[in-house]
Each structure stands twice: as C-alpha cells, then as structure tokens.
Amino acid sequence: MGDEDNFTKPVALERDRLQVESIHVRVVAGPDQGMSAESTAGTLTIGTARDNDLVLTDRTVSRYHVELSPALDRSIQVHDLGSTNGTACGPVVLEKGQVGPGAELELGRSVVRVEVGRAAAQSVAATQELAGLRGSSPQMRKVMLEISRVAGTNASVLLRGESGTGKERAAAALHELSGRDGPIVIVDCGALSQELVASELFGHERGAFTGAVDRRIGAFERADKGTLFLDEVGELPADLQAKLLGALERRVIRRLGGASDIRVDVRVVSATHRDLRRAVNAGEFRLDLFYRLAVVTLVLPPLRERPEDVELYARLFADDFGSAERFERLLEGGLLERLKAHPWPGNVRELRNVVEATLALGRAPALDEMELETTGNPFAHLRHLPYKRAREELLERFEADYLPHLVERAEGNVSEAARVAGMDRSYLFRLLRKHDLR
C-alpha cells in the first residue's frame, strides 16, 4: 500500500524486473522496544492496526500512524497519516518530509530508527497493455502485473490515486480479467445525496420515500455475478458505511422499504482519491469497512512521476480522435518536451484534454504559467473543451491553489478559515478532505 505521493521508486529496470530499495525500521524506545520490520514493497507503514508492516501496541500510536518510502537519493520520505500525536524527528514535527538513514522518529511514546536496506527485485508486466490499461513506465507495468494477479480472485480491491489517474479504467480491467459472468456496475458515491446513494446501492420499493413512485433495482442486484465498482467510496456517510459493511459480510441486501432479504454474488472494487487511513484515524471511516474493502490495495501513480507514459498516452489520444498524423506534425518544435515537463495536476484526464485542444486549435495550447505569460488568459485552453469538463478542470485547479493558502492564513484553524473565506465550515471540511488537507 502507498499514498498518492509515495509509490514504488525505480532504481533500475532489468529484463522486466524493477529494483526497489528496502526500508528497515527498529523500535529503539517505548513499549515495543526491540520489534523490527522490513519492507521491499516500496512503502512501509507503522501503526496499531493489524495490516501495518510494523504493528505496535503503544496506545499513543494511531491506527495508521506513518508511512515511509525510499527516495532516489537514499533518503527516506516520511508521510504522517493524520496521526493523533504526530511524527517528530528531533524538534521537528513532520507531516511530509525526508530524513536520512539512521534517523530516529518519535511516534507517541515510541521511537523508531529507520534505515535504507539493499535493493530487491520486483517483477513488472512484460507488456505495455492489459485489458485496456496502458503504460510503458515501470510503475504502471507493476500495477498491470498486480491487476493480472488479483483479477481472478474474489478479493475486494481498493484503488487509490489522484483524480484522473485511471482508477475507473483499472476497475474495468479487473472486471474484464475476472471471468465473472455478470456486468460491471458503477456507483459514484461522491456525486449522489445520502438518500440517493442508499437507493442506488440497495434499490427501493414503491412508496419507500417521497418520490419513490416505482420499484428500483439497486446496483448490488444489477451487479449480481459481476463486479460492483464504488467510486469515491470515502464520501459515504457513516450510516451507509454500516449498511455497506453488513451487505459485504452477509452477501445479502434489502431494498429500501422492502421486507425480504436478497442474496447477491458480487465482487466489490472501490476507489478513492483520499487516503482512507487518514479518514479512519479521524473517525470518518469505519476501520472494519476499510478492512473489507482493502483486502488488496492498488495505487495508480500520478502522471508527473512517470513521464515515460506522457508520449504514449498523447499519441493514443490523438489516434482516438482520428488525427494521429496531424498530431505528429504538431509535435515538432519542442511540444513533446513541454508535455513531459508539465506537472499534470489533472493527470491523464488533463493530458487528454490538452491533446484534444491541440488538435482543435491547430497548435499546442499554453500550459499553466506559460499560458499567462503568452496570452494573459488562464481560460484560453478550456474554450475548446465540453462545458462540464472545462468547469470541473478549472474548479479543481482553483481549489488546489486556494485552499492551502486559506488554511495557512488561518494558521490551521478550520473555523477561522471558514470565517475568513465566508463559507460554511462543514463544506470547507469536505473540500479539505477532498484535497487531502485534513
């Protein structure tokens, strides 16, 4: 498992093998002194929950306290997972940062020493395409191999990654390779009201609530013998989390307003751009439901961390639009280098939009700061996109820029930040969670 910012760091790729530096930790003080763990998976997590790599008994340590991953310069990335008592290195409290080998981290009453070990070989897929998923980078080929291994099982899979990294495409690949006879049914948990999500998942009988004029068959029933894909599952309210847990445990659902149980055979794949471990620590997501959903966790890496894939995707998108030859001509003049250097906050979805705009304009649109410098207009590249996509991209970028500065201005006080911004506190909380700022 890993965070959006922390995925397997490649050292070298040799004959479809990925060399990854290991991380070793040892508890040097505290109730669990002497315990140790090592991980060659690209990340190592510490906490009291049973699925951490190092499971501590120290009650001052959070369920999911901290995640460690190797950096390319043999330092260690430290990512606190919203723990109650924080993660400190000496006098410095770390939320995200890097420490050197041999550094000692304080987690509650416990102190752990972290080291970088020897590189270990990991397999990656020998192909650049798997059931609609594509990628030439070792990171994506590792994801494809993991999907091929887990697809044929009944294990629930949690897909994590930033918006636009391809979680829905990965879910479709898992279903296609599963061999299950039923369909894949998609429910966007973040786009529906609480009542509508419950109805969409479980269905309802006529008259179950105001407006229920007909019986509705829910997603669980429609996905029988197939796959149920729960997108943005982290947005489910608490009471629906309990109902979903019951359905997963018993494999039985009941329509809203119904009197009888209905048995279903469904494989559940869920996705979120949030780190649910943080939500578990904050009491916003049930730990037992997290265990049910995250039997296997796969992380879709951000596009900015795998520039090898930019060229591949750009050409594929141009081909999809029926303009491959025209796009090749437009690539002349340094466009490819600019695309590879762009940070892609919207990931693959943003790249597709840029390719579409390039073909529509007959030239490459300016990107971010370059656009302001050359045109003075931050909206120009959105003009050739469908309205809904343009609005979503613009709002996503605005929030990502505005919210961190708002929180910093309010010195981390959400109530003060809401007052300064003139917005509802609960709505601000939702936005902060959406952008992993809380």
Side-chain angles (χ1 to χ4, degrees), residues 183-210:
I184 180 171
V185 176
I186 301 172
V187 177
D188 187 344
C189 302
L192 299 170
S193 68
Q194 179 174 337
E195 186 175 69
L196 288 179
V197 172
S199 174
E200 179 63 23
L201 285 175
F202 305 115
H204 63 253
E205 298 291 351
R206 180 178 179 180
F209 52 85
T210 301

Side-chain angles (χ1 to χ4, degrees), residues 121 152 178 206 280 295 302 338 409 412 427:
S178 69
R206 180 178 179 180
V280 168
V295 175
R338 288 172 57 206
R409 179 181 173 188
Y427 179 63

Side-chain angles (χ1 to χ4, degrees), residues 159-427:
L159 300 170
R160 289 180 45 227
E162 297 176 8
S163 296
T165 50
K167 297 186 290 296
E168 186 171 334
R169 182 62 61 88
L174 282 164
H175 175 69
E176 181 177 333
L177 299 171
S178 69
R180 298 182 69 87
D181 296 329
I184 180 171
V185 176
I186 301 172
V187 177
D188 187 344
C189 302
L192 299 170
S193 68
Q194 179 174 337
E195 186 175 69
L196 288 179
V197 172
S199 174
E200 179 63 23
L201 285 175
F202 305 115
H204 63 253
E205 298 291 351
R206 180 178 179 180
F209 52 85
T210 301
V213 296
D214 294 302
R215 169 186 283 181
R216 176 178 176 81
I217 303 301
F220 266 98
E221 290 182 77
R222 302 200 305 273
D224 192 37
K225 303 294 192 298
T227 301
L228 176 59
F229 176 47
L230 302 177
D231 199 10
E232 295 303 343
V233 71
E235 304 307 313
L236 282 177
D239 64 330
L240 276 182
Q241 290 179 30
K243 291 178 181 178
L244 176 60
L245 177 63
L248 296 178
E249 288 181 336
R250 297 188 296 272
R251 300 293 173 179
V252 167
I253 61 100
R254 179 177 294 187
R255 299 186 193 123
L256 302 184
S260 59
D261 291 336
I262 302 168
R263 185 161 294 279
V264 291
D265 174 14
V266 170
R267 198 267 187 88
V268 174
V269 177
S270 52
T272 177
H273 74 281
R274 299 175 57 195
D275 191 331
L276 291 187
R277 297 168 299 180
R278 283 180 169 270
V280 168
N281 286 340
E284 298 168 352
F285 202 84
R286 294 178 63 114
L287 178 62
D288 45 8
L289 178 57
F290 177 72
Y291 284 149
R292 279 282 176 181
L293 296 175
V295 175
V296 176
T297 298
L298 301 179
V299 180
L300 278 296
L303 188 57
R304 64 180 172 276
E305 302 287 0
R306 44 189 179 102
E308 309 98 309
D309 290 333
V310 171
E311 180 177 0
L312 172 66
Y313 293 155
R315 287 194 161 98
L316 286 171
F317 294 147
D319 189 53
D320 288 345
F321 294 130
S323 303
E325 292 184 7
R326 185 161 170 252
F327 188 69
E328 288 297 328
R329 293 194 297 272
L330 292 171
L331 283 177
E332 299 175 4
L335 173 59
L336 184 59
E337 288 69 25
R338 288 172 57 206
L339 294 178
K340 287 184 175 181
H342 186 60
W344 300 112
N347 291 291
V348 181
R349 185 182 298 121
E350 181 188 0
L351 175 59
R352 184 182 181 88
N353 293 344
V354 167
V355 172
E356 185 176 8
T358 297
L359 294 170
L361 291 166
R363 59 175 175 78
L367 301 173
D368 290 351
E369 290 83 0
M370 288 186 289
E371 173 136 9
L372 288 172
E373 292 170 3
T374 58
T375 71
N377 189 338
F379 311 117
H381 77 290
L382 301 174
R383 293 170 181 164
H384 298 275
L385 301 180
Y387 172 75
K388 182 178 179 182
R389 285 166 56 188
R391 183 182 63 182
E392 289 174 350
E393 183 177 326
L394 183 63
L395 182 60
E396 186 83 13
R397 292 188 179 194
F398 165 72
E399 290 173 352
D401 176 76
Y402 179 81
L403 293 172
H405 293 284
L406 174 64
V407 173
E408 181 179 359
R409 179 181 173 188
E411 298 181 345
N413 187 315
V414 177
S415 296
E416 174 64 14
R419 188 193 66 77
V420 169
M423 62 196 302
D424 181 76
R425 183 172 176 270
S426 62
Y427 179 63

